[in-house]
Amino acid sequence: MTTYAKKWHEYRADKDRYTKPDLVVAFNTGMSMEETDGWVESIKLMLEDDIPCLFTMYQEDEAKGDYDLLQSLGAKIITERNAMNPFAVDIPTIDA
């Protein structure tokens, strides 16, 4: 497993470090709400390289926006829109 603390398109441009992954995973990205231009650039490259991706969302409105963004970019989405995580824990969280 490899991690990279920059945006995907920056990692892909790093010729010394980049290796095409088998899977990209990004948790609670907020891609439709924050840094959208950067996410669009990164997602287009992931699609161009035909890399399977897994994205999670924190809230329902975020999930709707992210779904719409991914769909508008031509991503093949294999889950229902706003599918709830069957493994989610029903414990309230406090944002500090």
Side-chain angles (χ1 to χ4, degrees):
M1 177 173 22
T2 301
T3 60
Y4 196 79
K6 293 190 178 187
K7 295 175 182 162
W8 173 262
H9 58 271
E10 294 170 343
Y11 170 58
R12 189 172 181 264
D14 186 345
K15 303 294 184 200
D16 295 329
R17 294 201 54 200
Y18 179 74
T19 302
K20 182 180 175 183
D22 296 318
L23 174 70
V24 170
V25 178
F27 299 102
N28 303 334
T29 66
M31 69 178 73
S32 64
M33 300 179 157
E34 298 177 11
E35 300 290 330
T36 302
D37 292 339
W39 274 108
V40 167
E41 185 176 352
S42 292
I43 292 166
K44 284 181 179 179
L45 292 171
M46 292 174 201
L47 293 171
E48 181 181 304
D49 289 346
D50 197 29
I51 300 169
C53 302
L54 171 75
F55 298 108
T56 66
M57 292 77 183
Y58 186 69
Q59 298 174 340
E60 186 175 357
D61 58 336
E62 178 187 349
K64 290 176 183 177
D66 290 2
Y67 182 97
D68 291 343
L69 176 64
L70 290 166
Q71 192 172 44
S72 75
L73 295 172
K76 179 182 175 189
I77 301 171
I78 58 171
T79 188
E80 294 178 23
R81 181 179 177 149
N82 306 330
M84 297 300 291
N85 179 354
F87 305 106
V89 178
D90 191 21
I91 299 173
T93 58
I94 299 172
D95 290 332

